Amino acid sequence: MNKKGFIFDLDGVIVDTAKYHFLAWKKLANSLGIDFTEVENEQLKGVSRVRSLEKILSWGHKTISEDKFMELMSAKNTDYLSYISKMDEDEILPDVPKILNLLKDKEQPISLGSASKNARTILERVNLKKHFDAIVDGNDVSKAKPDPEVFLIAAKLLNVKPEHCIVFEDSVAGVEAANAANMVSIGIGSEDVLGHAKYIFKDFTEISNEFINSLIEN
């Protein structure tokens, strides 16, 4: 049987933790008297914590001391962690376990490739960690997507050549990173946003066993 490497992003692919980032940033912004809605939140997706706070301060025309800046960043992360500590299997996005189990049955190596520094905690909370042969997260990389570093490390850990790897991603930067790594990119989300992906599905409910088998065989 052919051996491919299957690499999954975490947020927006396996679980949706974006809502928890939103709640934590909203609480922080509101504490400074700054309005924060889904519109502002969209502009923070895939952006570092430092840059996100800088953007929020600029929207509210606020300047704060460096100490206060560090304090707010820490408070935001504590808030976010309190939300994810309550996560359970109900948070897994539709049909993700079905695909992971199929890949396990086919003895295909699986890795996580995520920018989140809390990826291991989240996988444990939703009881999926056992499915992954390797985990590469924000603690393991120095360059953010669209740099392909995260996926290249994952391929190396799986002992699979990059061109034999398949990446599931929900962000433009992630799809670009997969393409730059010479991997097959599968966009999970909207065709309007993820047009550069080789294949695009709304979610995993649209991905058939036949399609997964064709990725393994080719």
Side-chain angles (χ1 to χ4, degrees):
M1 187 187 284
N2 289 344
K3 274 274 199 299
K4 296 291 170 75
F6 287 83
I7 306 172
F8 292 77
D9 178 39
L10 179 67
D11 189 23
V13 174
I14 293 174
V15 293
D16 181 15
T17 53
K19 60 193 171 197
Y20 300 131
H21 284 296
F22 171 66
L23 291 171
W25 281 127
K26 183 175 170 61
K27 183 177 171 183
L28 182 152
N30 293 167
S31 76
L32 295 168
I34 300 169
D35 233 21
F36 191 82
T37 67
E38 297 281 3
V39 176
E40 283 83 22
N41 192 56
E42 275 303 311
Q43 298 177 54
L44 302 186
K45 286 191 176 170
V47 175
S48 73
R49 208 183 311 160
V50 174
R51 187 73 195 103
S52 294
L53 182 48
E54 286 171 354
K55 278 176 175 276
I56 289 170
L57 291 169
S58 73
W59 295 331
H61 309 291
K62 304 271 185 194
T63 45
I64 57 173
S65 70
E66 196 171 327
D67 284 351
K68 179 70 173 166
F69 190 95
M70 299 309 285
E71 187 187 308
L72 286 173
M73 275 211 311
S74 172
K76 186 267 168 180
N77 198 45
T78 303
D79 255 0
Y80 173 69
L81 291 174
S82 77
Y83 291 121
I84 65 170
S85 70
K86 299 181 185 79
M87 288 177 77
D88 59 27
E89 291 174 36
D90 291 343
E91 304 264 0
I92 302 169
L93 291 170
D95 276 6
V96 169
K98 181 193 91 169
I99 299 297
L100 291 172
N101 287 325
L102 176 64
L103 293 173
K104 274 281 175 228
D105 290 346
K106 299 278 181 186
E107 296 176 5
Q108 298 298 307
I110 305 169
S111 176
L112 192 79
S114 167
S116 169
K117 291 192 172 180
N118 302 301
R120 286 172 169 82
T121 307
I122 292 168
L123 285 180
E124 278 167 8
R125 293 297 314 159
V126 301
N127 200 24
L128 284 181
K129 197 171 173 202
K130 60 182 180 289
H131 287 83
F132 290 85
D133 302 296
I135 294 173
V136 187
D137 66 12
N139 300 296
D140 306 309
V141 295
S142 57
K143 302 185 194 84
K145 300 169 188 174
D147 190 280
E149 182 187 29
V150 61
F151 297 142
L152 293 172
I153 294 172
K156 198 170 180 182
L157 290 173
L158 294 179
N159 200 22
V160 176
K161 288 178 178 164
E163 60 269 29
H164 294 155
C165 289
I166 294 104
V167 175
F168 296 91
E169 259 290 351
D170 74 317
S171 73
V172 174
V175 167
E176 286 175 0
N179 291 343
N182 197 21
M183 298 178 178
V184 173
S185 54
I186 300 181
I188 303 293
S190 150
E191 206 163 317
D192 299 344
V193 179
L194 304 172
H196 292 313
K198 181 161 187 188
Y199 304 101
I200 303 166
F201 298 95
K202 178 172 62 62
D203 57 31
F204 282 92
T205 64
E206 292 188 345
I207 299 181
S208 66
N209 291 6
E210 290 71 28
F211 176 72
I212 294 293
N213 288 332
S214 73
L215 291 172
I216 296 168
E217 299 309 323
N218 289 328

